[in-house]
Amino acid sequence: MSPESRSNYAVHHLASHPTILAKEDLYDEGSVDPVYRAKAKVLNQALQEIGMGKYQWGLFIVTGFGWLSDSVWPLATGLILSPAVNELHFDGPFLLLATNLGLLVGAIFWSVGCEIWGRKWSFNLTLFIASTFGIAMGGSQTFMMLALLAAASSVGVGGNTPVDSVVFLDFMPSSHQYLLTILSMWWAIGWLFSSLVAWPLIANFSCAPSGPCTRSDNMGWRYFVITLGSVMLLLAFVRLFAFPLYESPRYLIGRGHDAEAVAVVHKIARYNGTETSLAVEDLEKAARSAAQNRGTDKWRVLNEGSVWTTRHVRALFSGTKMAWSTSLLIWIWGLIGLASTLYNNFLPYLLASRGAKFQDATYYTTYRNQVILSAIGIPSALIAGWSIELPYVGRRGTLAPLRARLTGAFLFASTTARSSSTLLGWNCGYAFFSNIMYGVLYAVSPEVFPGNHRGTGNGLTATATRVFGVLAPIIALYANLNTVVPVYIAGALIIGAGGLALLLPFEPQGRASI
């Protein structure tokens, strides 16, 4: 198609389909590299022109596998904790500490890596690493072997959502970026799947909570991790061979590879059975126009080179508003990371220990309750996706004044339980609102980071939540888990994080991420 024909096609197509016009982005002048911003606007228009098609819906599924992995493996550590402790005789928090250290390493490594060698390799390798070492956990003979394998598996898990959210958002038309929030549905499905698998296996193939315990009498938790690992390995093969993941066009234009970015956009259009008017000349024209403006010299330094440097971090603190946004997100993720890790990882233990107090402590009851709590998260994700698009509510309104505070309130309320069923009821409320909170938080973070530094931004927030997550088992080593202290800590932290969310300067509702 000649440039003249392409131009005529674009004018006619946009005139006859006004709804495909891309939204304005959410940044002020000076917050983002103007050359990248100009090219990203052109790219956004092309993706909006292509629309939400078969490629994007396929991506919704395969990126969901990452949310699934991020859900099942940390939860699995908590689910196997009691039977593994009975057999291998160790302090439970040490296994959680090993897992969280692996998650920390993975968050840093993969987030930095996806800025160096691109999104594609990181996207595909994380699931393979998590599933392979997860399967190997089932053969552990000692606590040390179990801890090392859990940490190795967690290195893969730690990169799942930081990388996958970047990949998903990079290919979405601005009209459908709210689907990033609904992706948390996969997180809830992972919880439900893990709990459903653990319920029959651990309940029926485990030693009694007290008394001698041998490996042959305690195979349930091994069957459980082998089953999880096998399923996740299958999903890793599906992701690699059944779906053609292209390199992110936003990553490519951030590197100056405009021709490759245009080629990717055309491949997406063909996959969707449509066409696009995007040409390399369009990106070059936008870049030249932006470069003529004043204030681009400092950004030129931030875009040189093809390896990761601190320029990615500096860009996220380049202006007052961007620096404030990045700092707040790091603190919000850190506080919620500590609260949720402290509470979620010890939830099966809490249910079991409180069940003993209420005279109904069995593996069957514990994992039945876990299934109920997990099922509640699925509708939460859908409600979160609906809520963030409500006028005058948006991401901040959904995250801050209601959902985070209600999440903390239900945690506090659980300390008043005088029966097992009451405790389960309060935990159901917590599960419902916490899944809404997480769905919004997982979306708003990558939405406010510019695409050429989104991997690093996600890495900073993921690192914060993993660093604080490492503190949770350390606290548990010195706190009395038979008291309500962990619940008070978790509830206060979540309410505090909700207050900080009100101060976020960017509201992505009605705006396009670039």
Side-chain angles (χ1 to χ4, degrees):
M1 184 181 288
S2 67
E4 292 79 13
S5 299
R6 188 164 47 239
S7 177
N8 291 335
Y9 165 77
V11 171
H12 171 74
H13 195 57
L14 292 173
S16 58
H17 298 81
T19 57
I20 68 174
L21 293 173
K23 301 174 183 178
E24 288 296 316
D25 66 58
L26 51 82
Y27 303 106
D28 298 330
E29 294 296 329
S31 296
V32 179
D33 174 0
V35 173
Y36 171 80
R37 186 182 186 187
K39 293 197 292 184
K41 286 183 177 181
V42 174
L43 183 62
N44 273 359
Q45 184 61 62
L47 291 173
Q48 192 65 35
E49 181 184 358
I50 293 170
M52 188 72 185
K54 183 170 63 173
Y55 188 84
Q56 284 80 8
W57 287 117
L59 196 62
F60 181 85
I61 295 173
V62 296
T63 52
F65 298 164
W67 262 253
L68 204 71
S69 178
D70 185 74
S71 170
V72 300
W73 288 116
L75 178 62
T77 306
L79 292 174
I80 69 172
L81 193 59
S82 290
V85 167
N86 286 343
E87 178 189 338
L88 301 178
H89 308 292
F90 61 90
D91 286 335
F94 282 113
L95 179 59
L96 302 179
L97 179 61
T99 299
N100 281 285
L101 285 172
L103 291 172
L104 172 60
V105 173
I108 298 171
F109 178 80
W110 296 110
S111 299
V112 171
C114 78
E115 301 281 27
I116 299 174
W117 53 69
R119 321 305 198 207
K120 186 175 179 179
W121 280 105
S122 298
F123 184 79
N124 285 320
L125 285 175
T126 49
L127 271 189
F128 277 104
I129 292 173
S131 57
T132 301
F133 285 103
I135 293 172
M137 285 170 60
S140 301
Q141 303 289 331
T142 63
F143 162 68
M144 185 60 67
M145 183 182 297
L146 176 62
L148 289 174
L149 290 171
S153 175
S154 297
V155 170
V157 176
N160 283 136
T161 50
V163 174
D164 291 10
S165 59
V166 171
V167 170
F168 184 77
L169 200 56
D170 281 358
F171 288 96
M172 282 297 111
S174 58
S175 59
H176 287 74
Q177 66 186 45
Y178 70 90
L179 289 173
L180 184 58
T181 299
I182 298 179
L183 265 176
S184 63
M185 173 184 70
W186 288 96
W187 204 82
I189 291 172
W191 259 57
L192 180 59
F193 172 71
S194 297
S195 301
L196 286 171
V197 174
W199 187 2
L201 292 179
I202 298 181
N204 294 313
F205 299 97
S206 296
C207 302
S210 59
C213 185
T214 63
R215 173 172 175 164
S216 60
D217 295 327
N218 199 47
M219 292 295 292
W221 70 269
R222 299 175 188 275
Y223 295 151
F224 171 59
V225 293
I226 291 171
T227 302
L228 286 187
S230 299
V231 171
M232 297 310 299
L233 185 60
L234 175 62
L235 296 182
F237 279 111
V238 170
R239 183 186 259 193
L240 182 61
F241 296 110
F243 184 79
L245 180 70
Y246 308 124
E247 186 53 81
S248 162
R250 298 187 198 277
Y251 169 80
L252 292 171
I253 64 171
R255 292 295 188 191
H257 303 316
D258 293 351
E260 295 177 43
V262 170
V264 167
V265 173
H266 280 270
K267 287 178 182 178
I268 297 170
R270 286 194 296 272
Y271 194 93
N272 285 355
T274 184
E275 57 184 15
T276 176
S277 58
L278 182 67
V280 176
E281 293 82 1
D282 299 327
L283 296 175
E284 292 175 345
K285 180 180 178 181
R288 286 195 301 271
S289 177
Q292 291 172 0
N293 297 328
R294 295 178 61 186
T296 58
D297 290 342
K298 68 170 184 176
W299 295 106
R300 205 166 290 128
V301 175
L302 297 181
N303 279 298
E304 292 174 354
S306 58
V307 297
W308 192 90
T309 66
T310 56
R311 65 188 174 84
H312 289 292
V313 177
R314 296 199 308 271
L316 297 175
F317 294 88
S318 59
T320 302
K321 201 170 182 179
M322 180 64 75
W324 179 244
S325 175
T326 302
S327 300
L328 279 177
L329 285 172
I330 289 172
W331 274 106
I332 291 170
W333 270 108
L335 293 176
I336 291 180
L338 175 57
S340 63
T341 305
L342 184 64
Y343 190 77
N344 289 338
N345 280 346
F346 291 97
L347 182 58
Y349 180 86
L350 177 66
L351 291 173
S353 61
R354 286 300 182 90
K357 183 177 179 180
F358 301 139
Q359 305 302 315
D360 61 353
T362 64
Y363 281 132
Y364 178 89
T365 303
T366 297
Y367 293 109
R368 180 208 64 190
N369 292 352
Q370 189 69 41
V371 168
I372 294 171
L373 295 173
S374 302
I376 290 172
I378 297 176
S380 296
L382 301 177
I383 291 172
W386 166 77
S387 179
I388 63 171
E389 292 298 303
L390 289 176
Y392 309 110
V393 177
R395 276 69 167 167
R396 285 180 298 194
T398 302
L399 180 62
L402 183 63
R403 305 301 186 242
R405 294 180 184 181
L406 284 174
T407 301
F410 274 103
L411 284 186
F412 284 130
S414 68
T415 65
T416 67
R418 295 297 179 264
S419 68
S420 182
S421 58
T422 304
L423 177 61
L424 176 61
W426 290 126
N427 281 320
C428 285
Y430 164 76
F432 180 79
F433 288 107
S434 67
N435 275 280
I436 294 177
M437 177 184 67
Y438 269 112
V440 178
L441 195 57
Y442 271 120
V444 73
S445 301
E447 280 184 311
V448 302
F449 294 130
N452 54 337
H453 307 295
R454 189 169 287 141
T456 299
N458 278 3
L460 290 175
T461 56
T463 298
T465 197
R466 301 311 184 190
V467 167
F468 279 77
V470 168
L471 297 178
I474 296 176
I475 292 173
L477 284 169
Y478 297 99
N480 182 3
L481 294 182
N482 292 312
T483 72
V484 296
V485 172
V487 180
Y488 281 141
I489 294 174
L493 290 173
I494 289 177
I495 291 174
L500 289 179
L502 286 172
L503 304 177
L504 289 170
F506 295 119
E507 172 52 67
Q509 185 191 46
R511 299 299 184 96
S513 295
I514 62 170

